[in-house]
Amino acid sequence: MTGAKWTIHILLLLLFLFIFRISLYSIKNYLMENIEELEKSIELTKNLAYYDTLTGLPNYNCFIEYIKESELLESPSGLVMIISLKNLNVINAVYGNEDGNQMLLRTGEELKRFQSDETFIARVSSNEFAIWMRSLNEKYDLEGKILAILNVINQHKETEGTHKIEFYTSYAKLDVTLDTALTCYQNAQIALTYAKYMNSETLVA
C-alpha cells in the first residue's frame, strides 16, 4: 500500500473517530436532557398524586399513606380530626368557584400554622381537611391542640368578610388496642356524617 493510500486510510479513520465522538456526545446530551425531563415528569406526577394543587397541602392519598406509616412509630396516643366547610357548595353555586377557592385557600393557610412533627394536615376532599395528631410524649396536650384549632377556625369564620364560613368538625381518638390509624380516620368520618345529620358543629367518635 502506497503512502498516499495510508494517508487516506488514516484520514478516514480519524474522520470516523471524530464523527463517532460527536455522536457519543450528542447521544449523551440527548439522554441527559431526557433523563431530566423524565425526572421532572416523575416529580410532577408525584405532586399530582399526593398534593392538592389549590392549597399545596397533601391530599387524601398522601394522608392515608402518612398515617399508616406513622402508626408504626411508638406513640402514646393519637387522633384524627376532620374539618368540613358547611356552605362551600352554596357559595360556589351562588358566587362562583373563585370565591369558594379563596375560602379553601384561607382555611388551608390557617391550618398550616399547626403543622409540626406531631401534626399532619391534608385536604382530603373538595370541602374537607383532615388532621392527624399523635403524641410523642405523655405531656403533649392533644385536647389543647384541638381547642386551639377550633379557636382559629371560629375566628376565621367571623373575619372572612363577605361570606360567612361555617364548619362541621369531628374527631376520633386512636385506641391502639383496638384501632389502626386508618380505622381511626374512618371513625372520624362516621362522626362527621352524624354531625352533619344532627346539624351539630362538633362531634366526637
Side-chain angles (χ1 to χ4, degrees), residues 53-86:
T53 54
L54 178 64
T55 63
L57 285 168
N59 64 13
Y60 173 83
N61 294 331
C62 189
F63 183 78
I64 295 301
E65 282 199 16
Y66 182 87
I67 63 175
K68 284 181 177 179
E69 290 175 3
S70 65
E71 74 181 3
L72 301 176
L73 304 174
E74 290 187 8
S75 177
S77 57
L79 62 84
V80 173
M81 182 178 187
I82 300 176
I83 298 169
S84 174
L85 279 71
K86 277 188 183 181

Side-chain angles (χ1 to χ4, degrees), residues 22-189:
I22 291 176
S23 298
L24 284 178
Y25 182 76
S26 299
I27 291 170
K28 179 183 176 182
N29 281 347
Y30 175 79
L31 289 174
M32 290 300 294
E33 288 174 4
N34 279 271
I35 288 171
E36 288 177 5
E37 289 300 319
L38 180 61
E39 288 175 346
K40 288 178 183 178
S41 178
I42 291 171
E43 187 65 25
L44 178 60
T45 302
K46 181 181 177 182
N47 285 337
L48 290 173
Y50 290 101
Y51 290 89
D52 173 49
T53 54
L54 178 64
T55 63
L57 285 168
N59 64 13
Y60 173 83
N61 294 331
C62 189
F63 183 78
I64 295 301
E65 282 199 16
Y66 182 87
I67 63 175
K68 284 181 177 179
E69 290 175 3
S70 65
E71 74 181 3
L72 301 176
L73 304 174
E74 290 187 8
S75 177
S77 57
L79 62 84
V80 173
M81 182 178 187
I82 300 176
I83 298 169
S84 174
L85 279 71
K86 277 188 183 181
N87 49 343
L88 182 64
N89 291 337
V90 174
I91 287 173
N92 282 338
V94 175
Y95 300 102
N97 289 338
E98 184 62 31
D99 284 41
N101 286 344
Q102 287 303 314
M103 291 173 64
L104 288 165
L105 281 168
R106 176 75 184 279
T107 303
E109 287 302 315
E110 294 288 352
L111 293 177
K112 283 178 185 177
R113 293 163 49 185
F114 295 96
Q115 286 275 30
S116 69
D117 290 340
E118 298 90 1
T119 308
F120 188 81
I121 300 168
R123 183 186 175 199
V124 293
S125 73
S126 61
N127 65 333
E128 291 178 4
F129 296 86
I131 305 170
W132 166 246
M133 287 177 271
R134 62 187 180 90
S135 172
L136 297 181
N137 58 69
E138 296 292 353
K139 295 180 180 179
Y140 186 75
D141 184 11
L142 289 174
E143 297 286 348
K145 179 61 72 70
I146 290 172
L147 291 175
I149 292 172
L150 289 174
N151 184 51
V152 164
I153 65 173
N154 284 329
Q155 288 179 2
H156 174 31
K157 175 175 68 177
E158 298 300 327
T159 60
E160 184 58 22
T162 307
H163 313 309
K164 184 178 180 182
I165 299 178
E166 295 181 337
F167 302 92
Y168 290 112
T169 58
S170 67
Y171 67 92
K173 291 183 178 180
L174 175 66
D175 183 344
V176 293
T177 62
L178 300 173
D179 300 325
T180 64
L182 183 58
T183 57
C184 185
Y185 171 74
Q186 291 167 343
N187 290 339
Q189 281 286 3

